[in-house]
Amino acid sequence: METTVNSESPSNLTAPDRNLALELVRVTEAAAIAGGRWVGAGDKNRADGAAVDAMRSFMDTVRMNGTVVIGEGEKDEAPMLFNGEKVGDGSGPDVDVAVDPIDGTRLTAMGYDNALAVFAVAERGSMYDPSAVFYMDKMVVGPEAADFVDLRLPVKQNINLVAKALGKPVEQVTVCVLERPRHEKLVEEIRAAGARVKFIMDGDVAGAIAAARGTGVDMLLGAGGTPEGIVAACAIKATGGMIQGRLAPKDDEEKQKAIDAGHDLERVLTTDDLVTTDNCYFAATGITHGDLLRGVRYDKDYVHTHSIVMRATSGTVRFVDAEHRVEKWDRWLKA
């Protein structure tokens, strides 16, 4: 299945080129297949470690000269693809890389929905550097409401603006929120405005994409990972939706680091601030079943995967169903 929002124009095809998109899917498929073996096993670090090893091995075959600028692991004290790591075979375009071998390690460990392997690539120097500020306040909406909402406005006003843009009553607006104690007041405000709340346990990349595509929810609100926000921005570039974020340091030490790095903590970052180029790609493969993608399925002879890949330059979104022969993946399928 392929959905094309805008047709490709040869004049827009600049490095990294369009052939990179499907190479990225191979990487997220590998991470999902390796990490998926640990679904429900209760050990998020072993799941993440397997996904990291597979992703790193497959990334090194991709024709690109990549540098990881948004890595995961340090925030979660999990196995890492660390910031500054060189990835790719070194022969292709110079690119920034944002990775999360498992967005939703706890979801994977506990067998819950919406765990993904994700990978985003953009022209070198185009991804926002949060300077080790791991959380940000976020708002994501689809293209219909993108020009009307503002993170600085009250929650009720933004919900009313989304309802008006979508042409639906406020009572039918659904807001995706990470289920965290820090969001108790936010949830009260959403419900007081008359809207509905859909909680997600983890994995706000999937939640952000669902909001941008209007897949079951109309907007995403709340504090979540800064790395996930930048990864999601690459996907949102292709969908025509909008993400806004504002850095939210978790303590005084992190706040001072952000100030020392020159960040304005009151600044609202837009999609174009988080990723400054349209020449970017996003790929994800489902690990567990979810609203966006089906999870990895194993049978005697095949492993089945379901992936999405987006190219912002053309606004193209592809869904990829794949079968992988078990015997070819023996290294990654051993428990």
Side-chain angles (χ1 to χ4, degrees):
M1 176 180 178
E2 175 176 331
T3 303
T4 304
V5 182
N6 295 307
S7 61
E8 290 186 324
S9 168
S11 62
N12 289 331
L13 301 180
T14 58
D17 68 39
R18 55 188 166 181
N19 296 321
L20 183 59
L22 292 179
E23 288 195 65
L24 303 187
V25 173
R26 293 174 52 246
V27 176
T28 57
E29 286 173 344
I33 289 169
R37 288 289 291 168
W38 295 94
V39 169
D43 191 334
K44 68 178 187 178
N45 281 347
R46 292 193 74 172
D48 205 33
V52 166
D53 288 345
M55 180 169 274
R56 181 178 281 120
S57 293
F58 276 72
M59 273 198 299
D60 287 342
T61 70
V62 176
R63 187 181 174 275
M64 65 179 182
N65 180 25
T67 301
V68 177
V69 298
I70 301 296
E72 188 59 282
E74 185 177 349
K75 173 168 67 73
D76 297 328
E77 297 180 354
M80 292 179 67
L81 277 155
F82 58 85
N83 287 8
E85 183 170 347
K86 299 297 182 181
V87 295
D89 69 2
S91 68
D94 295 335
V95 294
D96 287 346
V97 174
V99 295
D100 197 345
I102 300 182
D103 179 43
T105 53
R106 183 167 64 126
L107 302 178
T108 301
M110 303 306 293
Y112 294 132
D113 289 351
N114 287 317
L116 303 174
V118 300
F119 188 12
V121 169
E123 291 178 21
R124 178 67 52 82
S126 62
M127 288 186 182
Y128 180 73
D129 179 5
S131 301
V133 179
F134 294 121
Y135 292 93
M136 66 192 314
D137 295 319
K138 303 176 192 176
M139 176 170 59
V140 180
V141 296
E144 299 87 352
D147 293 334
F148 301 102
V149 296
D150 191 312
L151 190 59
R152 293 163 291 196
L153 296 175
V155 169
K156 181 177 181 178
Q157 186 173 350
N158 276 323
I159 289 173
N160 287 332
L161 289 168
V162 169
K164 183 176 181 180
L166 296 177
K168 60 167 55 173
V170 170
E171 295 77 16
Q172 293 180 14
V173 173
T174 301
V175 184
C176 182
V177 180
L178 276 170
E179 190 173 10
R180 297 289 188 274
R182 64 177 179 263
H183 288 149
E184 289 180 2
K185 183 176 184 298
L186 171 64
V187 170
E188 290 176 3
E189 291 183 76
I190 293 169
R191 288 172 173 163
R196 298 180 287 190
V197 175
K198 179 177 181 178
F199 285 114
I200 54 175
M201 290 185 59
D202 290 297
D204 66 345
V205 170
I209 296 171
R213 288 174 58 81
T215 310
V217 296
D218 301 302
M219 64 190 307
L220 175 141
L221 288 173
T226 304
E228 289 86 346
I230 297 167
V231 171
C234 289
I236 291 167
K237 283 268 187 173
T239 66
M242 180 277 300
I243 181 171
Q244 291 182 3
R246 183 169 49 211
L247 294 178
K250 67 179 185 294
D251 53 35
D252 289 341
E253 181 182 357
E254 194 171 282
K255 180 178 180 179
Q256 191 58 52
K257 286 181 179 178
I259 292 171
D260 292 344
H263 290 301
D264 178 358
L265 298 180
E266 298 301 315
R267 179 187 177 192
V268 173
L269 302 161
T270 67
T271 312
D272 289 335
D273 292 321
L274 295 172
V275 183
T276 61
T277 179
D278 280 343
N279 200 3
C280 59
Y281 302 80
F282 171 88
T285 300
I287 298 174
T288 59
H289 292 297
D291 298 327
L292 182 65
L293 296 167
R294 298 188 301 276
V296 182
R297 291 153 290 144
Y298 305 88
D299 60 33
K300 179 181 177 182
D301 298 315
Y302 292 95
V303 182
H304 305 266
T305 57
H306 187 215
S307 304
I308 188 170
V309 59
M310 306 181 185
R311 182 171 182 250
T313 300
S314 60
T316 301
V317 178
R318 292 183 174 91
F319 287 90
V320 181
D321 280 297
E323 297 178 349
H324 314 264
R325 286 196 63 84
V326 166
E327 65 210 43
K328 304 293 186 179
W329 289 80
D330 185 61
R331 174 185 174 187
W332 307 110
L333 293 175
K334 290 180 178 177

